[in-house]
Amino acid sequence: MTPTFECPTCGKHRPVPLRVPGSRLRTALRERMQQDHPDWDGQVTCHPDVQHYRTLLLEEALEEQRGTVSALDAVVLERMTQSETLSKNLEAIPPTRGERVADRVATFGGSWTFLGTFGAILVVWMVTNALLAARAFDPYPFILLNLVLSCLAAIQAPVIMMSQNRQADKDRERAEHDYQVNLKAELEVQLLHEKLDHLLFTEWHKLLEIQAIQTEMLEELAGQADKKAR
């Protein structure tokens, strides 16, 4: 059975590997935790609580910079608290049958193939009816042709608009996704810099203490050597 301990900040029993010494926390984070837990001695806490308060600090920093936290920012902060990734394949969701038809119509309708084919049909239609003269099924001024063109435009335009709206939705979703990923990366880098600064500051103090101890030992050795020399 995995040994546990009672976290003094959240009051929950956590596995010992999730135990975090308070000396590893940077000053701002430790002070923020002591605001909510005045009786906390700052000696030990748990990793989930540290993640929670890191997210709170980031949220407060965003509110200070922007005045408010948007829904997208809230999603990013929640994913950071849960240590989840934001990257996803936006093309993984298959389109519906209607969306596929709309995309194909829009692709074909906006191509030179469509222009060339449709132009050839118009020329053949008009030349054929002009040559047939009295026997023409659509004599000049080609009223039936105008009706066909009007019906084609009335059907084609909404289909193309459906495809364009779908592409606009995909572009908006892609932009929101990129924003979330970039924001999470920026916040993670900021946290990483703060951790490194805190680590360097802590290690610098330890090195100074070690240097002071070594200096004392050297002075003692030098004093002992002087006594032996006398």
Side-chain angles (χ1 to χ4, degrees):
M1 182 177 181
T2 305
T4 61
F5 75 102
E6 184 178 356
C7 177
T9 53
C10 66
K12 298 180 180 180
H13 290 275
R14 304 286 190 183
V16 172
L18 295 180
R19 181 171 179 164
V20 179
S23 58
R24 295 185 182 179
L25 305 178
R26 54 192 177 91
T27 305
L29 181 59
R30 189 164 53 250
E31 291 177 351
R32 182 64 181 82
M33 295 177 70
Q34 287 177 336
Q35 288 180 6
D36 294 344
H37 307 281
D39 298 333
W40 181 51
D41 56 5
Q43 295 297 320
V44 66
T45 183
C46 64
H47 185 265
D49 227 23
V50 172
Q51 289 291 95
H52 171 69
Y53 278 97
R54 281 174 179 164
T55 304
L56 285 181
L57 285 178
L58 292 174
E59 184 176 353
E60 292 172 358
L62 288 175
E63 288 181 353
E64 183 179 354
Q65 292 177 0
R66 307 179 184 181
T68 183
V69 177
S70 64
L72 294 178
D73 298 337
V75 171
V76 174
L77 294 174
E78 182 181 358
R79 293 291 181 87
M80 290 184 65
T81 304
Q82 300 174 357
S83 299
E84 296 181 357
T85 58
L86 284 171
S87 301
K88 60 181 179 180
N89 185 10
L90 298 179
E91 304 297 332
I93 302 176
T96 62
R97 181 179 299 178
E99 291 173 342
R100 289 197 299 268
V101 172
D103 290 342
R104 290 176 181 175
V105 171
T107 301
F108 179 70
S111 64
W112 286 106
T113 303
F114 171 78
L115 290 178
T117 303
F118 196 66
I121 292 175
L122 292 180
V123 171
V124 171
W125 183 296
M126 289 184 290
V127 170
T128 300
N129 283 277
L131 294 176
L132 290 176
R135 295 179 299 171
F137 60 89
D138 184 23
Y140 183 83
F142 311 116
I143 297 176
L144 180 59
L145 178 61
N146 290 328
L147 178 61
V148 172
L149 293 177
S150 300
C151 293
L152 179 62
I155 296 174
Q156 188 181 26
V159 174
I160 294 177
M161 289 182 64
M162 284 189 290
S163 177
Q164 291 177 343
N165 290 337
R166 176 171 171 270
Q167 293 299 325
D169 291 339
K170 290 179 61 178
D171 293 339
R172 182 168 55 255
E173 184 179 0
R174 187 177 293 108
E176 293 177 355
H177 176 259
D178 292 342
Y179 169 77
Q180 290 179 342
V181 172
N182 293 335
L183 178 61
K184 186 174 186 292
E186 181 181 354
L187 295 177
E188 292 285 2
V189 170
Q190 181 179 349
L191 285 177
L192 181 60
H193 278 293
E194 292 177 354
K195 291 178 183 178
L196 288 176
D197 292 341
H198 177 71
L199 179 61
L200 291 175
F201 181 77
T202 304
E203 293 298 325
W204 177 253
H205 276 278
K206 290 181 180 179
L207 289 175
L208 290 178
E209 293 176 0
I210 294 173
Q211 185 178 8
I213 294 173
Q214 290 176 342
T215 303
E216 292 177 359
M217 294 176 64
L218 289 174
E219 290 176 353
E220 291 178 0
L221 291 175
Q224 294 176 2
D226 290 340
K227 290 180 181 180
K228 291 181 179 180
R230 293 175 185 176

